Amino acid sequence: MIQTDILIIGAGPTGLFTVFEAGLLKLRCHLIDALPQPGGQCSEIYPKKPIYDIPAYPEILAGDLTDKLLEQIKQFEPGFTLGERADTIEKQDDGTFIVTTNKGTKHQAPVVAIAGGLGSFEPRKPPIPNIANFEDKGVEYMIKEPEIYRGKDVVIAGGGDSALDWSIFLTDVAKSVTLIHRRNEFRGALDSVDKVQELKNEGKLMLITPAEVKGIIGDDKVEGVLVEQKDKEPFTLPCEHFIPLFGLAPKLGPIANWGLEIEKNAIKVNNALDYQTNVEGIYAIGDVNTYPGKLKLILCGFHEATLMCQSAYKRIHPDKKYVMKYTTVGGVDGFDGTRKEAPKAVVKAIN
């Protein structure tokens, strides 16, 4: 059983910043996310896309924003349960909650903060009739452990950043990598497109466009894929792994069954006070919530996380009075023993 002060559902930017605000209040956090790494959409869907509305950053790549947030919260030593989806929640007699993931991992906390962005992400699956028969038998929709592809023949389908970046990465791991896309043009970062072209020219990567995978060949596991290429006869391409990377579709998922008030696939909260849901002790912050005047912006999620943590402190420590101190004055003390503070002014007597 993993125990913490605030259990955060979702490790996107809002969830990560919650760790910092909670840390200032000496509250520990643990995060659950269905994705295999922190960052939410910023890491999984558009890591190399620039964001222009983060305060103090005229422009920052989504992946870099995630890195900065992780650096900011490192001293507060958050825990992570990644690659698992928050499935069920049970309220205990003492007022705490037990959240169990789809893999059976249990977490207990007096406060639950749902920061799941647009919800849990489910992979967009290509319309291949027999694909479900090969899931976990050579078909993967997300790459969690690159080492399983070492020395293997891999086919990747897709035209975005994820397909490009993993194709590049796996050329140093797999026996062979083939990237298939239904168009000649890619939607990813230009430097990634250039790198794929370079690897193709060097014979380190096979690129097939415009083309689509229409079938999977094999008995108990993937042995190849059926490829249809424009103006050519369909052909079979031998491989041991087929990885369709067509992005992720957001769904509220099991959270919709937690007894929370839902409006248009979002969780209604009390925005006049602390972004608490209709269940005391459960909050919703970031894109996953809704209230009059709601704006789905990362900076709004940061604001909501800040106020939520103040309310969480009062719930966890009802007998304590917290006096807010500015970090510019009081500094920041990490759970790992580190301290950040402004240099002290030098006091010098004048004769």
Side-chain angles (χ1 to χ4, degrees):
M1 180 84 72
I2 297 171
Q3 295 182 317
T4 190
D5 294 320
I6 301 178
L7 182 63
I8 304 169
I9 312 298
T14 296
L16 294 176
F17 187 69
T18 302
V19 176
F20 177 78
E21 287 298 324
L24 295 179
L25 301 171
K26 307 300 181 187
L27 300 177
R28 291 188 176 274
C29 294
H30 190 94
L31 301 94
I32 301 174
D33 202 296
L35 296 176
Q37 72 284 316
Q41 296 181 66
C42 288
S43 293
E44 185 66 22
I45 300 178
Y46 49 86
K48 294 188 177 181
K49 290 291 190 296
I51 301 176
Y52 300 104
D53 59 357
I54 301 298
Y57 286 100
E59 176 182 332
I60 184 170
L61 297 181
D64 291 343
L65 175 62
T66 298
D67 292 340
K68 292 289 186 182
L69 287 165
L70 287 170
E71 180 183 347
Q72 185 180 30
I73 66 174
K74 183 179 180 181
Q75 65 186 132
F76 294 122
E77 301 180 324
F80 289 92
T81 298
L82 300 174
E84 300 184 29
R85 183 188 65 239
D87 223 14
T88 62
I89 189 168
E90 301 172 80
K91 192 166 187 176
Q92 307 301 295
D93 293 338
D94 62 359
T96 64
F97 299 91
I98 293 180
V99 174
T100 306
T101 70
N102 60 318
K103 294 186 178 180
T105 308
K106 293 184 178 295
H107 311 74
Q108 185 173 24
V111 168
V112 174
I114 302 172
L118 298 173
S120 63
F121 289 96
E122 301 292 335
R124 289 190 174 95
K125 302 180 182 181
I128 299 174
N130 62 341
I131 194 167
N133 299 333
F134 294 94
E135 290 174 356
D136 298 323
K137 298 177 182 178
V139 169
E140 294 89 29
Y141 302 107
M142 289 187 289
I143 296 177
K144 299 180 181 180
E145 181 48 67
E147 277 300 311
I148 71 172
Y149 306 107
R150 185 165 294 281
K152 307 293 185 180
D153 294 310
V154 177
V155 172
I156 295 176
D161 282 316
S162 187
L164 291 165
D165 292 346
W166 279 118
S167 295
I168 295 167
F169 182 89
L170 290 180
T171 55
D172 291 328
V173 177
K175 179 181 178 182
S176 70
V177 177
T178 301
L179 175 60
I180 298 174
H181 183 39
R182 61 179 178 168
R183 299 188 180 93
N184 289 318
E185 301 79 19
F186 289 86
R187 303 184 310 276
L190 289 177
D191 61 332
S192 296
V193 176
D194 291 342
K195 182 62 176 178
V196 164
Q197 184 64 52
E198 179 184 332
L199 290 170
K200 176 194 173 185
N201 295 340
E202 294 174 355
K204 296 180 180 179
L205 180 149
M206 182 185 295
L207 180 63
I208 304 176
T209 62
E212 292 185 76
V213 174
K214 291 295 187 177
I216 301 174
I217 298 165
D219 293 323
D220 295 329
K221 60 182 180 179
V222 173
E223 296 176 9
V225 293
L226 178 65
V227 181
E228 289 188 5
Q229 189 172 11
K230 188 176 180 180
D231 301 328
K232 294 184 179 181
E233 288 293 319
F235 63 93
T236 298
L237 182 64
C239 67
E240 295 156 282
H241 290 275
F242 173 52
I243 312 170
L245 298 175
F246 295 147
L248 302 169
K251 294 182 180 179
L252 203 52
I255 291 174
N257 303 317
W258 286 7
L260 306 174
E261 192 173 354
I262 307 296
E263 181 180 288
K264 295 181 180 179
N265 207 41
I267 302 171
K268 291 187 68 174
V269 294
N270 174 10
N271 68 304
L273 185 62
D274 54 12
Y275 305 98
Q276 194 162 196
T277 69
N278 58 303
V279 178
E280 187 178 349
I282 301 179
Y283 301 78
I285 52 178
D287 288 356
V288 76
N289 74 14
T290 185
Y291 53 82
K294 169 69 179 182
L295 293 177
K296 293 182 181 293
L297 297 172
I298 293 176
L299 63 90
C300 293
F302 291 166
H303 164 77
E304 294 164 9
T306 304
L307 296 188
M308 183 279 295
C309 285
Q310 296 289 323
S311 177
Y313 182 88
K314 295 174 184 176
R315 175 176 171 80
I316 296 170
H317 301 296
D319 299 327
K320 290 185 180 180
K321 183 177 180 181
Y322 175 74
V323 179
M324 191 185 80
K325 298 179 181 179
Y326 297 105
T327 57
T328 50
V329 176
V332 178
D333 292 306
F335 297 151
D336 58 359
T338 61
R339 177 171 175 77
K340 296 178 181 177
E341 61 180 333
K344 301 295 184 183
V346 177
V347 178
K348 185 177 180 180
I350 300 178
N351 296 324

